[in-house]
Amino acid sequence: MNSFSKRLHGLSALLLQAQCPLCHRTTPDAFCQDCQRQIQRCQVAEAAWVQQEQLPVFAWGRYNGALRRTIAAFKYENKPHLARPLAHWLASAWLSMSDRATPFIVVPIPMHASKRQQRGFNQAELLAEHFCEQTRLPLQAHGLARSRETTAQFQLSAGDREQNLADAFSLGDAFRKRPPRSAVLLLDDIYTTGATARSAAQTLRRHGIRVQGLIVLARAEREERGKE
Ligand SMILES: [Zn+2]
């Protein structure tokens, strides 16, 4: 092997052996086995809708421990490739519960353009793409639009959050041109106070669009609610 092909060999081995996003050990998979087990321990025992202030929520797991750290790595450490395994777990849980005949339309919660540019991707949209790939539900990434930037939610009191989010969304181009006939499933990465999702659902309902509920990777219990 000459030095060039040696380097090439080294490089491809490096590419095949990615790092686990939680413990940084090398692994051929998205997570090492230990961390994957820890994340899966956050899964809720029974896949079901939970009614939360006018909006049913379906969550794969609880927003704490390894799942919370994974979502943080996905969003804040620029790891968009984690959308795929996470969305597939969510999809499997969804398929285990849902009646597959209902043709819901999946709409990810949009991000304001400036924030999206800063992060490089909208985590909800990536999750929705992979969720739909698995469930075969239709995806409409432009069902909603974020009409204005909002102050970071975690800096505000509960009352101010609602105010901050009033009219934060508008109907997206796709739904403005052609309103959907089926009910919408909103999709986001996490559910904390629910203010964002309620605002998004209100916008759709104001336009006569039915909203079945919100599906998320993780739902915070009251005491885990912090940064949204
Ligand atoms: Zn690990």
Side-chain angles (χ1 to χ4, degrees):
M1 220 187 255
N2 64 31
S3 72
F4 176 73
S5 59
K6 240 186 229 166
R7 253 183 297 164
L8 202 66
H9 183 78
L11 187 68
S12 59
L14 205 72
L15 289 172
L16 288 173
Q17 288 283 321
Q19 267 189 351
C20 172
L22 298 188
C23 69
H24 307 290
R25 279 182 289 196
T26 54
T27 165
D29 305 309
F31 306 99
C32 75
Q33 285 186 359
D34 284 349
C35 291
Q36 179 156 330
R37 257 196 301 274
Q38 282 185 46
I39 299 165
Q40 287 182 323
R41 257 183 238 137
C42 302
Q43 185 175 3
V44 294
E46 199 189 339
W49 286 109
V50 176
Q51 187 65 33
Q52 300 275 345
E53 306 170 54
Q54 309 137 38
L55 193 70
V57 176
F58 176 88
W60 179 81
R62 289 175 308 276
Y63 188 50
N64 57 25
L67 182 56
R68 187 174 179 144
R69 282 187 282 125
T70 303
I71 294 172
F74 169 40
K75 283 160 69 170
Y76 307 119
E77 294 166 27
N78 191 29
K79 299 198 186 314
H81 68 279
L82 296 183
R84 193 190 170 87
L86 294 171
H88 284 189
W89 293 339
L90 179 61
S92 303
W94 168 260
L95 290 172
S96 75
M97 175 202 77
S98 80
D99 126 41
R100 296 182 192 210
T102 320
F104 296 118
I105 298 182
V106 177
V107 175
I109 299 284
M111 224 180 203
H112 192 269
S114 62
K115 199 166 170 191
R116 189 201 163 104
Q117 199 174 14
Q118 198 182 10
R119 187 168 297 165
F121 59 92
N122 171 2
Q123 70 275 1
E125 199 176 317
L126 288 185
L127 289 169
E129 277 169 21
H130 293 293
F131 178 83
C132 289
E133 172 185 284
Q134 194 89 342
T135 57
R136 310 218 171 249
L137 289 173
L139 170 70
Q140 185 42 267
H142 306 288
L144 278 168
R146 195 99 183 196
S147 39
R148 65 180 176 85
E149 183 63 289
T150 48
T151 313
Q153 286 289 94
F154 62 90
Q155 296 170 353
L156 304 172
S157 70
D160 288 346
R161 285 183 181 203
E162 299 284 342
Q163 191 53 45
N164 182 40
L165 282 161
D167 302 318
F169 298 96
S170 58
L171 211 56
D173 286 345
F175 282 177
R176 205 173 302 141
K177 283 185 196 140
R178 197 148 62 114
R181 281 194 221 140
S182 331
V184 162
L185 281 180
L186 290 168
L187 193 146
D188 208 355
D189 55 336
I190 55 173
Y191 177 96
T192 55
T193 65
T196 309
R198 276 198 302 280
S199 176
Q202 274 164 16
T203 302
L204 293 173
R205 285 169 175 161
R206 251 202 323 268
H207 289 86
I209 298 168
R210 281 177 296 140
V211 179
Q212 177 70 19
L214 168 77
I215 38 187
V216 290
L217 276 179
R219 182 167 68 86
E221 301 299 336
R222 203 167 284 276
E223 65 274 15
E224 294 154 359
R225 290 179 185 175
K227 188 170 166 178
E228 184 158 18

